Amino acid sequence: MAAEDEQQDGAPARPSTAGALLWTAAAVPLPGIAHLRMRRRAAGAVILGVYLAGIAALAIWALSLGRSDAGTLTSVASLALRSSWLMTAMGVVFVVSVLWLTVIVHSWVITRPQGASSGARLLSGAVVVLLCLTVAAPSALALHGGYTAYDALTNIFGGPERDDLPPHDAADPWNGADRVNVLLIGSDSADNRYGVRTDTMIVASLDPHTGEAVLIGLPRNLENVHFPEGSALAERYPEPYGFDMLLNDVYQTVAEEPDVLAVNPHVPDPSADTLKAVIGYNLGLDISYYAMVDMRGFRDLIDAIGGIRVKIEEPIPYGVHGGVLEPGIRVLDGHEALWYGRSRVNSDDYGRMGRQGCLIKYVTEQVEPTTILTSYRQLAGATQRTLSTDIPQSKVPAFVELADMVTDADEMSTLQLSPPQVNTASPDWEAIRLLVAQTISAEGPTGDELPTGTPSPSDPAVPGEEGLEEGLEEGVEGDRTEWQEYTGLDEPSPADPGRQVGEEASDLNALCP
């Protein structure tokens, strides 16, 4: 240090204490400037040159992101959800911040005047520390944020790649598939209730090329669920009426004996994985992944994104204390959004299903990549407490881009497998598979392509469907609508937002206010 303090031959006179502090402060936005001032040209040129080259590289990188089809913010959000990129970014931030702090301190060392009083030295040292904090504080914030995101990624998206699919290819993350199907599960558990109920089950079928999305809602009270051939569940509950409980009981049934009943007992959540396989089998779909949200933690997710804007047309009572969601355009916090999606007061399971579909639409429309980037701490914490999934880390960036595509396309429809289009007490699964196939694909099978012996959805001879004939006919019968024929009420259509009537998928833009 003494050698540093000595005046070098040919070096200019050192400035005053105030001048030295100004040159040190200038080294914060322009590292190396103080070295050039003191005629340390080689060191100053290298430091400043590397700094400017780094800024130029960042600018070029930002421009390249801006030219990408996904857009700058979506591309950044996708990168932020890659653990390898996060580790690299944190390493770069740490090294750059240490070098930057070294330059700031050294700038003060080579410019400080000799023989300053003790008071001046103490004051100058405090100012230099503050200057260092202008670099250290945001660097520490970035490192903490990176670690938070990394921790969330590794804890949530820890599922292995599917063995039946090729290795992940970033250029073709969906392996050429025409649809990507994900099971969305809303689980409900409480201290005063045994086990876990999956009261919300929605299959999101997404077109990875256009962003068109179809939400297939399954009522919790669907009966006579069939199980994949050869599975332990199929052996224990053989068809035609072996499983005498409801669809939302499948998860807990497997949870009680996962080693015996699960399709794959070695995955992190055998019950959710088995429910995914069961629903896929009954709908005739290959469901690639599931995402399960604890409904008690759902409110934390909504609060983390700052609430959700909803138009309420009729009062929605909720809770046990007489709460009411009043009509109007409202921004619902997490607690209110939870009850918007689960209230059954003056409603039923199927009206609730409709509002849940609307919630998905509203979240998809209103959550932007900027929200993910600016609220990542709250989102990471809420997500770790709330979400479990078998989506592997390698697919997360692709899902972010697909979600952005869905938002841009604004083509989201719903098919609710509920009355009148489906008899939940005695569902005709072959007819349901036909409805699903026709809904998600323009190339779906027609009545002439049904397997031998398979009844048409509107065939009055379908066993157990005698009371459903008029429910599967579209339009009106006489002067009464399908809803009036089904309910016997005078209202021509249901009052619940999102409540679907008819066997054709309905546009959520029309159903949701």
Side-chain angles (χ1 to χ4, degrees):
M1 183 65 69
E4 291 286 351
D5 288 339
E6 293 177 358
Q7 187 82 15
Q8 294 187 355
D9 293 339
R14 297 194 178 199
S16 63
T17 299
L21 289 174
L22 287 175
W23 281 108
T24 304
V28 175
L30 289 174
I33 192 71
H35 291 71
L36 293 176
R37 159 65 174 78
M38 299 305 294
R39 295 182 186 172
R40 301 192 179 204
R41 295 185 178 88
V46 169
I47 295 171
L48 188 58
V50 170
Y51 173 74
L52 294 177
I55 292 178
L58 284 174
I60 294 173
W61 177 66
L63 288 174
S64 66
L65 290 179
R67 296 193 193 99
S68 67
D69 295 335
T72 303
L73 292 176
T74 301
S75 299
V76 172
S78 298
L79 288 174
L81 293 172
R82 295 179 181 176
S83 58
S84 58
W85 187 88
L86 282 171
M87 290 297 292
T88 302
M90 285 191 291
V92 171
V93 169
F94 178 78
V95 170
V96 169
S97 61
V98 170
L99 292 176
W100 204 336
L101 292 173
T102 302
V103 171
I104 294 172
V105 173
H106 195 254
S107 297
W108 166 249
V109 168
I110 63 176
T111 57
R112 65 182 179 181
Q114 297 177 352
S117 64
S118 299
R121 288 199 299 270
L122 287 174
L123 181 60
S124 300
V127 173
V128 173
V129 169
L130 290 175
L131 292 175
C132 289
L133 285 176
T134 61
V135 172
S139 299
L141 192 64
L143 290 172
H144 180 266
Y147 175 77
T148 300
Y150 177 82
D151 185 52
L153 279 174
T154 52
N155 287 332
I156 298 170
F157 302 100
E161 298 282 351
R162 281 179 52 174
D163 294 334
D164 58 333
L165 294 178
H168 175 72
D169 180 3
D172 183 19
W174 312 119
N175 304 304
D178 292 329
R179 308 291 301 192
V180 178
N181 301 314
V182 181
L183 175 62
L184 308 178
I185 307 170
S187 64
D188 193 3
S189 59
D191 296 336
N192 62 348
R193 186 188 307 123
Y194 173 72
V196 174
R197 301 184 308 179
T198 57
D199 285 353
T200 300
M201 291 164 285
I202 300 172
V203 176
S205 182
L206 313 172
D207 187 326
H209 308 292
T210 65
E212 178 264 334
V214 178
L215 303 180
I216 303 169
L218 295 99
R220 68 184 183 93
N221 60 337
L222 272 172
E223 300 182 33
N224 189 26
V225 179
H226 296 172
F227 298 115
E229 296 180 4
S231 66
L233 284 168
E235 294 178 4
R236 177 172 293 189
Y237 305 101
E239 297 182 16
Y241 300 107
F243 192 68
D244 58 357
M245 292 180 281
L246 305 179
L247 179 60
N248 72 334
D249 291 309
V250 172
Y251 182 97
Q252 185 59 34
T253 299
V254 177
E256 292 172 1
E257 299 179 79
D259 294 335
V260 177
L261 297 179
V263 172
N264 183 356
H266 305 295
V267 295
D269 190 340
S271 299
D273 179 71
T274 300
L275 180 61
K276 176 185 71 175
V278 169
I279 289 178
Y281 177 76
N282 282 276
L283 299 186
L285 295 176
D286 178 13
I287 302 179
S288 303
Y289 307 104
Y290 73 83
M292 185 166 73
V293 177
D294 176 4
M295 297 307 289
R296 291 192 297 176
F298 172 77
R299 59 186 178 188
D300 295 335
L301 286 173
I302 297 299
D303 287 335
I305 62 176
I308 201 77
R309 188 175 63 258
V310 173
K311 182 180 180 181
I312 300 176
E313 295 184 329
E314 298 290 338
I316 301 177
Y318 68 90
V320 296
H321 302 296
V324 176
L325 299 177
E326 298 293 348
I329 298 177
R330 297 168 51 87
V331 176
L332 306 183
D333 61 22
H335 177 73
E336 294 168 331
L338 176 63
W339 280 107
Y340 176 87
R342 74 184 304 181
S343 175
R344 286 183 293 174
V345 181
N346 297 333
S347 181
D348 56 20
D349 279 335
Y350 315 120
R352 179 171 71 171
M353 286 173 59
R355 292 195 301 274
Q356 290 168 355
C358 292
L359 270 180
I360 293 175
K361 173 181 180 291
Y362 297 146
V363 170
T364 302
E365 290 176 340
Q366 296 175 34
V367 177
E368 300 289 343
T370 49
T371 304
I372 298 176
L373 295 174
T374 57
S375 305
Y376 65 91
R377 278 201 198 85
Q378 298 92 323
L379 280 171
T383 304
Q384 287 193 74
R385 295 189 300 271
T386 302
L387 177 67
S388 61
T389 182
D390 62 348
I391 297 174
Q393 286 190 37
S394 60
K395 298 293 185 192
V396 175
F399 268 107
V400 171
E401 295 181 4
L402 181 56
D404 186 58
M405 190 184 300
V406 169
T407 302
D408 291 340
D410 194 25
E411 294 182 17
M412 188 175 292
S413 57
T414 182
L415 173 68
Q416 294 179 18
L417 304 179
S418 58
Q421 51 266 20
V422 170
N423 183 344
T424 56
S426 181
D428 178 356
W429 290 109
E430 290 294 341
I432 288 173
R433 291 189 187 100
L434 174 62
L435 291 179
V436 171
Q438 290 175 332
T439 297
I440 67 174
S441 174
E443 303 296 327
T446 64
D448 297 334
E449 297 170 331
L450 288 172
T452 303
T454 301
S456 164
S458 56
D459 188 344
V462 176
E465 300 287 327
E466 293 84 1
L468 194 59
E469 179 181 359
E470 69 275 13
L472 289 172
E473 295 176 355
E474 297 182 26
V476 299
E477 181 177 323
D479 294 328
R480 295 179 65 79
T481 66
E482 185 178 9
W483 179 250
Q484 289 170 327
E485 289 294 330
Y486 168 68
T487 62
L489 301 175
D490 293 332
E491 292 80 0
S493 62
D496 286 313
R499 176 68 160 87
Q500 181 200 340
V501 178
E503 62 184 43
E504 294 186 357
S506 300
D507 183 2
L508 275 177
N509 287 322
L511 287 178
C512 302

